[in-house]
Every structure is written in structure tokens, then in C-alpha cells.
Amino acid sequence: NMALPGAEKMLHLMNSLTGQPKKLRHHVPISKENYHAAWQILERRYNNKRLTTCELTRTLVLHPRIMQPTSRAIRELHDMTLECTAGLKPMNVNVETWDTIIIILLIEKLDSATRRMYEESLIHPEENEQLEDFITFLNRRFYSLEAEERASNHKMTNRGYRQVTAITTHNRAQCLLCNQNHTIYTCA
């Protein structure tokens, strides 16, 4: 907001920082003059296209392999892919040409059942797939798994179990053979 005075902008900036950038507030006092200096420091440190590109690409490459097909695991792969590819676009990375590479990378992260389902879903398996089509497959897969998991949870909670209540008392056992205060199996 251009109407705010520099000191108030500085205060808002400092209050919005978390983690490592928050340490800046200890070194730069809040004042009208320091707002631009603080902004420049943050820009130099955190507006680094190369580092951002490396980090987003690393996230895409190093995402763990899915061992069990769960809606959560498939959704995480889906969301991570969308976030990383969207994050790379402002870094002037032309991810539109990466479709085949990204799909191959992501297929390797799928569990065997989901991978088989993906291969069976291909209309033209001899052609290169578009990333958008792979994302659509992941979207359908996690919705399908969510429905299965909800149905499974519903069955588990609605099974017709009969409730049984047991009442026990603790009496001193009296031997049936000798009428002493011990159990029959300890009778001598």
C-alpha cells in the first residue's frame, strides 16, 4: 500500500516474516528509512530464480515412491506436481516441453497397482502422453481411492456386532474337595 508511511510498512513487513527471514528484524531497526533497505536485503536473499528452480526441481525428483495406494499418497503426488510445475513457470522455465520427462519420473513413483491402472488407461499407448492427462489420471485415482476408503470405514463402523457385557466378582475360591479357602487345582 503506497499510502502507508515507511515505518508502518516496515512494521507490517517485520510482523509478516517467519523462520530465517524473521532474524532480519533483530538487525534492522524499524524506521521509515530502513523499509527499503530491509526489502532490498530480502529481495537479494530470497528472490533467487536459480535456487528456486533447483529447489522445485529437487522436490519433483526426490518425492518418495508410493508403496501402498492411498488417496493421501496419490493426492500428495498430484498436488506436488502441480505446485512444482506452477512454481517453475515464473522462473522462466518452459515446463511445457518437459511433459514426457516428468511423466516418466512420476510413473516411477507410483505403486505397482496404480502404475498398471495408468498403463491400462492409455488410449494411445504408443504415443507420448501429455502431463495434463497424467494429472487427470492421478486426480481420478485419488478420488476413487477416497471413495473406497470412505466405504471401507463405513463398513467397519456399521457392522452388526452384538454388545456383550460381562460382570465378574472376585470371591475367594473354596475348594470343592476339602472346603478350604483355595482352588481345587491347588488342593493337596
Side-chain angles (χ1 to χ4, degrees):
N1 187 347
M2 299 307 279
L4 290 176
E8 193 172 337
K9 286 182 188 178
M10 179 76 171
L11 184 62
H12 285 295
L13 174 64
M14 293 304 183
N15 287 334
S16 68
L17 298 176
T18 60
Q20 185 69 25
K22 190 173 188 165
K23 292 182 180 179
L24 176 68
R25 83 174 346 158
H26 300 296
H27 305 293
V28 181
I30 295 176
S31 72
K32 175 174 80 170
E33 297 79 23
N34 284 341
Y35 172 74
H36 290 291
W39 189 257
Q40 291 291 333
I41 291 169
L42 290 169
E43 282 246 319
R44 273 195 306 271
R45 183 168 304 156
Y46 297 103
N47 193 15
N48 185 325
K49 287 184 178 185
R50 187 183 70 79
L51 288 178
T52 302
T53 300
C54 287
E55 192 56 39
L56 290 167
T57 306
R58 190 175 290 116
T59 299
L60 196 60
V61 171
L62 297 178
H63 189 81
R65 187 169 192 270
I66 298 170
M67 299 311 218
Q68 291 289 352
T70 65
S71 62
R72 180 180 177 197
I74 301 293
R75 186 184 312 105
E76 285 175 359
L77 182 65
H78 171 273
D79 293 351
M80 178 275 308
T81 303
L82 289 177
E83 290 166 9
C84 288
T85 54
L88 287 166
K89 287 177 185 175
M91 302 298 118
N92 298 323
V93 176
N94 186 2
V95 292
E96 284 80 21
T97 61
W98 291 17
D99 283 13
T100 302
I101 296 167
I102 293 173
I103 291 170
I104 291 168
L105 185 73
L106 296 174
I107 287 171
E108 292 299 317
K109 297 180 182 312
L110 296 176
D111 60 277
S112 59
T114 303
R115 186 177 186 168
R116 185 174 46 255
M117 289 176 75
Y118 170 70
E119 295 294 339
E120 290 170 355
S121 76
L122 295 174
I123 297 168
H124 300 288
E126 68 283 351
E127 298 292 327
N128 286 329
E129 185 87 328
Q130 298 296 309
L131 183 58
E132 185 178 329
D133 296 329
F134 186 79
I135 295 296
T136 300
F137 168 78
L138 290 177
N139 195 43
R140 287 184 181 144
R141 179 69 170 141
F142 80 69
Y143 279 134
S144 171
L145 287 168
E146 275 182 350
E148 280 180 32
E149 291 163 3
R150 273 194 307 272
S152 177
N153 288 340
H154 184 69
K155 278 183 187 175
M156 296 289 282
T157 58
N158 289 334
R159 287 200 176 139
Y161 291 111
R162 193 175 71 193
Q163 188 173 358
V164 177
T165 305
I167 300 173
T168 61
T169 59
H170 187 5
N171 289 339
R172 202 88 168 121
Q174 191 170 22
C175 179
L176 296 174
L177 292 175
C178 68
N179 290 326
Q180 296 292 319
N181 282 337
H182 61 257
T183 56
I184 194 167
Y185 60 85
T186 59
C187 189

